Amino acid sequence: MTASYAIAPPAVASLAIQGQPERFPLRRVFCVGRNYAEHAREMGHDPDREPPFFFSKPADAVVPAEGTVPYPPLTSDLHHEIELLVAIGKGGADIPAAQALEHVWGYGVGVDLTRRDLQAAAKKQGRPWDGAKGFDASGPSAPLVPASKIGHPSKGRIWLSVNGQERQAGDLGDLIWPVADVIAYLSQSVRLEPGDLIFTGTPAGVGPVQPGDEIHGGVEGVAELHFRLGAKP
Ligand code: MN
C-alpha cells in the first residue's frame, strides 16, 4: 500500500557521484570527533585515551561544495574542518572491523563547518552540539567516488587551504581510528543502513573563516573541493 502524506514529503537528500548521473541518497550523517592526534591535542584533549565518539548532522546539511556556500547566522567564529567521507552501501549492526570495508560504497571529501563559539558555549554548559555542528549547509561536500573505482584509501594527504594559504594538512595514515574501526564502533551503537554517511574527523590546523573566503581542500586519491563562503547574514 502506498502511504499518503498530510503535506508534500520532503525531498530525498543526496550527493552527486563523480562521473555518473545517479546520485547517492543520504539517510543519516554521522561525524567522528577528534580522530587525528594533533587535532585532539589542539582542542585540549589526550588522543591516547579516548575511544571514538560521534555526533550527527541532518542529511540535508550536506550540500554541494561548489559556488557559494552560505555563511551561517549566530556565529562570529565559523571554523573549517576538512574530512574524508565514507558512504555506506550495505547495512549492518555489530560489524567486525575485518569485514567493515565490505559495507563501504564509496568515499568523498567534505568540510564539517563548525560554529566554534556555539560549540565552546555548549561544552561549557554541558549542552548538545547540534547548534554548533548541524546548521543548514554545514557539510559542503564534493561528489562521491565509488570504492569500485578507487579502492579503500588508507593513506594519502588530506589538506585545506583558505585564500591560497594552507591551513590544514595531514594524512589518512594518521587516523587514530581508521575507517574500518570507525564503522565497527559506530555499528555497535546503531544499525548502519545504506545511505548513511560518515565524516571521519579532521587533521590539525582548524581555524576561523570569513565571509568571502575561498576554500580549497582535498584528499589525495579521492577528490578535491572548492567553494566560496557567502556574505554574513
Ligand atoms: Mn569534524
Side-chain angles (χ1 to χ4, degrees):
M1 208 173 92
T2 308
S4 70
Y5 298 99
I7 60 166
V12 174
S14 64
L15 248 186
I17 300 169
Q18 209 178 89
Q20 66 187 72
E22 297 85 8
R23 299 180 63 84
F24 186 85
L26 295 173
R27 185 169 186 269
R28 296 172 295 187
V29 177
F30 298 99
C31 309
V32 187
R34 298 175 207 134
N35 203 11
Y36 291 81
E38 283 303 318
H39 173 62
R41 286 189 202 102
E42 79 179 348
M43 298 302 285
H45 296 271
D46 178 351
D48 298 326
R49 279 191 276 154
E50 294 182 19
F53 70 94
F54 298 88
F55 57 91
S56 59
K57 292 179 187 277
D60 64 2
V62 175
V63 297
E66 60 186 32
T68 301
V69 169
Y71 189 99
L74 300 183
T75 185
S76 50
D77 194 22
L78 182 68
H79 274 213
H80 55 77
E81 298 189 356
I82 187 78
E83 312 206 358
L84 172 74
L85 308 184
V86 177
I88 298 296
K90 185 177 124 188
D94 293 320
I95 299 166
Q99 270 121 61
L101 297 184
E102 296 167 19
H103 294 257
V104 175
W105 179 88
Y107 294 90
V109 181
V111 182
D112 169 16
L113 287 173
T114 302
R115 295 193 280 210
R116 195 71 75 198
D117 39 4
L118 300 198
Q119 187 190 32
K123 284 179 178 176
K124 207 169 160 185
Q125 295 169 290
R127 290 181 179 173
W129 288 10
D130 304 46
K133 292 289 197 177
F135 53 90
D136 295 343
S138 56
S141 299
L144 296 173
V145 187
S148 59
K149 281 196 183 154
I150 59 165
H152 297 279
S154 57
K155 285 188 167 60
R157 207 170 113 75
I158 176 169
W159 59 277
L160 180 139
S161 71
V162 179
N163 302 327
Q165 294 229 306
E166 189 167 275
R167 295 271 194 91
Q168 291 190 264
D171 194 284
L172 299 184
D174 299 332
L175 281 165
I176 297 171
W177 303 101
V179 170
D181 292 327
V182 166
I183 291 170
Y185 267 100
L186 183 55
S187 71
Q188 290 172 10
S189 172
V190 294
R191 184 187 160 80
L192 288 174
E193 298 291 353
D196 288 340
L197 185 71
I198 306 171
F199 280 64
T200 56
T202 201
V206 301
V209 278
Q210 309 301 331
D213 279 352
E214 296 280 345
I215 298 173
H216 284 87
V219 176
E220 185 186 350
V222 179
E224 293 192 7
L225 55 74
H226 172 217
F227 63 91
R228 174 187 303 109
L229 279 173
K232 204 153 187 150

